[in-house]
Amino acid sequence: MLARDLVNHPANVMTPTRMADAARGVAEATGLEFDVIEREGMVEHGMGALLGVAQGSEEPPKLIVLKYHGDPDHPENNLGLVGKGITFDTGGISLKPAANMEAMKGDMAGGASVIAAMSAIGTLQPKINVTGLIAATENMPGGRAQRPGDVVTAMNGKTIEVINTDAEGRLVSADALCYARKLGITRLVDVATLTGAIVVTLGKVCTGIMGNSAALAGGIKSAGERSGERFWELPMLEDYRELIRSDVADMKNTGGRQAGSITAAMLLRELPKTPNGCTSISRELPPRPTIKGIWSRAQRVSPPARWRSWPLHWPTAVEPIISLDGIATTPRRWTHAQQ
């Protein structure tokens, strides 16, 4: 009910700051450790993907961190819960249609789920160390908003070409996942109203789940069966990686209409370097607060022989506004037309 209350607040009330306040209240009530990384801290950590989404909004972004130390003598016994916290999603420059846009106040349902889960964990006190991270911001079409074609640099140095600014959830989650890995978390579950494509695939009957840890996926699906939340696992075949290849960056933030939910997961698995990463993609309209899923470490494969390298490098004096470490250049591929 806590998660639902957070989701049901209008976006002019449930701002990233108010969301952080709600998390602080949970921490104080249950004895959790609480922290918030502000915009300045995001800059220091190099969270260019999250900052790129946030730069179009007047509301300051927040990376909310809740920690429960249930097994302090065994720090390796850990779990990370990452929640998408887009408190209102207009789509940015790639503006959504007006119809049903009011429901986008619920695009922070993943983050609300994590806050509520951490409340329960703090109350139940299981013997495990759990960290909850919520990347909270708005996605707005302001004068400083990022544009299609921009290139942003995630916390781990991976560069992402922004094809569609409405594919923002994977960008904010990317930096949250990277930060979770910096904290030493080895099992990650990302919870997000990430794609409308999953609604086309599964409707509103069950939630999509993707990953490469069979044990973790099985545990999540088993928990779902007990709690009335049904999951359906989608494939994470390496072939899908081709859909998010970019000519100017390590990857692009959307692969188009084909396998839209899977390509979102393929991007996110490029970020956390752990064999037990997780994410979930839930239905976009209306969002539900109890969604989970899974994924993990990227396995980069050599490009097919038909791709030829082109020694293209960005001038060192040219840096995108959002890039904090410059652009990491990658060989450009010949297009079919150039061949």
Side-chain angles (χ1 to χ4, degrees):
M1 289 194 293
L2 169 60
R4 290 172 179 171
D5 284 346
L6 293 173
V7 170
N8 286 334
H9 275 87
N12 62 324
V13 174
M14 189 50 61
T15 62
T17 299
R18 182 70 176 273
M19 202 170 182
D21 290 341
R24 181 183 290 105
V26 164
E28 293 173 351
T30 57
L32 301 176
E33 183 180 330
F34 172 80
D35 189 25
V36 174
I37 298 178
E38 304 285 353
R39 189 189 300 271
E40 295 76 13
M42 295 176 192
V43 173
E44 292 176 4
H45 286 293
M47 298 179 179
L50 172 53
L51 287 167
V53 175
Q55 71 184 39
S57 173
E58 295 293 327
E59 291 287 343
K62 310 283 182 181
L63 181 58
I64 304 162
V65 183
L66 293 166
K67 294 182 181 180
Y68 166 75
H69 303 284
D71 191 9
D73 294 333
H74 301 90
E76 72 281 359
N77 179 24
N78 61 56
L79 174 67
L81 305 177
V82 176
K84 173 185 173 182
I86 302 295
T87 57
F88 194 77
D89 182 17
T90 66
I93 297 296
S94 306
L95 193 66
K96 293 179 180 291
N100 299 318
M101 192 191 287
E102 70 279 1
M104 287 297 96
K105 69 179 185 179
D107 210 20
M108 37 66 74
S113 297
V114 171
I115 292 173
M118 294 301 296
S119 176
I121 289 166
T123 302
L124 296 171
Q125 299 186 351
K127 193 173 180 60
I128 185 174
N129 305 304
V130 186
T131 301
L133 300 102
I134 301 94
T137 184
E138 292 181 328
N139 185 23
M140 302 292 282
R144 294 182 57 82
Q146 68 179 358
R147 299 149 292 263
D150 286 1
V151 176
V152 296
T153 305
M155 181 179 169
N156 68 343
K158 291 274 188 176
T159 54
I160 306 169
E161 180 185 8
V162 179
I163 300 298
N164 187 329
T165 64
D166 195 22
E168 86 297 331
R170 63 205 73 180
L171 297 177
V172 301
S173 294
D175 277 332
L177 288 166
C178 289
Y179 187 71
R181 289 296 298 129
K182 183 178 180 180
L183 296 178
I185 301 170
T186 55
R187 289 183 293 174
L188 292 167
V189 178
D190 182 81
V191 189
T193 49
L194 202 59
T195 71
I198 202 68
V199 185
V200 177
T201 306
L202 300 175
K204 300 178 182 178
V205 176
C206 55
T207 291
I209 180 172
M210 282 155 277
N212 70 349
S213 170
L216 188 54
I220 292 171
K221 287 188 283 187
S222 177
E225 290 171 2
R226 295 193 301 272
S227 62
E229 183 75 37
R230 290 176 288 185
F231 296 94
W232 190 265
E233 191 166 1
L234 276 68
M236 291 282 285
L237 303 176
E238 193 62 35
D239 305 62
Y240 290 114
R241 177 64 177 78
E242 285 292 321
L243 295 174
I244 58 169
R245 286 192 181 276
S246 169
D247 289 336
V248 298
D250 291 316
M251 67 198 96
K252 54 187 179 182
N253 76 329
T254 178
R257 292 179 61 83
Q258 296 183 48
S261 299
I262 295 172
T263 54
M266 295 298 288
L267 182 147
L268 285 171
R269 76 164 201 172
E270 296 283 326
L271 282 304
K273 296 180 179 178
T274 168
N276 296 304
C278 309
T279 195
S280 71
I281 300 181
S282 89
R283 35 214 167 268
E284 185 86 6
L285 289 173
R288 291 182 59 186
T290 51
I291 50 179
K292 303 176 180 68
I294 86 170
W295 56 47
S296 88
R297 181 173 182 174
Q299 300 293 332
R300 291 291 295 269
V301 297
S302 299
R306 67 179 181 273
W307 299 119
R308 298 177 59 188
S309 296
W310 176 264
L312 175 69
H313 299 279
W314 290 83
T316 55
V318 179
E319 296 184 355
I321 294 175
I322 303 309
S323 175
L324 303 170
D325 300 311
I327 283 191
T329 62
T330 54
R332 180 180 177 182
R333 297 180 284 108
W334 288 100
T335 65
H336 290 295
Q338 288 170 326
Q339 287 182 30

